[in-house]
Amino acid sequence: MSHQLWSWLLMAVGVTGLYLAGKRSWTGWAVGLAAQGLWLAYSIATGQWGFLVSCFVYGAIYLRNLRAWLRPAPPVTAEPEVTSCAGS
């Protein structure tokens, strides 16, 4: 695969993931996580080892965010009402 095609493919997948995450969809984090497989392949194919390290770091962050989005939110508890003792 040509470097030009890699660049466009990686850009399209990355922007798609960010767009979906910005729309508050958990699928954005899943797309970003899946994109790390492409970065891994790109890194190995081109011998650019910095990308190899970054795909594991970014992958860990995407996985953390995906898990946070899929975890149910804790129930919201009401704050106790505070009454003032004005004039006491």
Side-chain angles (χ1 to χ4, degrees):
M1 189 179 311
S2 75
H3 291 291
Q4 195 63 238
L5 185 56
W6 272 111
S7 297
W8 286 103
L9 177 63
L10 289 166
M11 181 278 305
V13 173
V15 168
T16 301
L18 289 173
Y19 174 78
L20 292 170
K23 291 186 65 75
R24 298 178 185 256
S25 173
W26 66 269
T27 57
W29 302 115
V31 169
L33 183 59
Q36 299 317 299
L38 295 174
W39 279 107
L40 177 74
Y42 178 76
S43 171
I44 292 169
T46 62
Q48 296 186 60
W49 309 120
F51 286 126
L52 181 64
V53 173
S54 72
C55 80
F56 287 106
V57 174
Y58 278 84
I61 294 168
Y62 281 118
L63 182 60
R64 179 210 165 273
N65 289 343
L66 177 60
R67 289 177 63 191
W69 273 88
L70 294 178
R71 191 175 307 131
V76 178
T77 58
E79 296 277 333
E81 188 174 320
V82 177
T83 57
S84 68
C85 297
S88 299

